Amino acid sequence: MASLTIRNLDDNIKELLRIEAAHNGHSMEEEARLILRKSLVSAGRGQGVGSRIHARFSQAGGFDLQLPERSGPIRTVEFDE
């Protein structure tokens, strides 16, 4: 396992970490590990945006869209119009 030293940590952040660790019954070091793991691993790193959106909303169910038939040829957009 690797070690990490965090320099110039704001005193207020350190105090919040200490309080959160005590509240959860962890050491400050364990609490920091859990926070890092939760924010980096569970955030879906390595997945594309579409996959992350799908994962977030897939439990809400879905529906089928009825797309209209195209009528006429496709035209290009002129931005000078």
Side-chain angles (χ1 to χ4, degrees):
M1 291 273 169
S3 294
L4 174 68
T5 301
I6 302 174
R7 292 182 177 84
N8 300 320
L9 184 64
D10 185 51
D11 290 336
N12 292 329
I13 297 297
K14 182 180 177 185
E15 183 63 15
L16 289 171
L17 179 63
R18 185 190 67 74
I19 291 169
E20 191 69 16
H23 177 75
N24 294 324
H26 302 136
S27 66
M28 287 176 55
E29 188 175 332
E30 177 64 14
E31 190 69 25
R33 277 193 299 269
L34 292 170
I35 290 169
L36 287 169
R37 185 178 301 120
K38 180 180 178 184
S39 67
L40 297 174
V41 174
S42 67
R45 301 282 188 242
Q47 294 180 336
V49 173
S51 297
R52 292 194 314 247
I53 291 171
H54 179 269
R56 175 166 289 183
F57 295 104
S58 64
Q59 294 180 1
F63 55 91
D64 292 323
L65 294 175
Q66 299 298 324
L67 299 176
E69 294 289 326
R70 288 190 179 186
S71 59
I74 299 172
R75 70 176 190 92
T76 58
V77 177
E78 299 291 333
F79 292 104
D80 296 334
E81 292 180 11

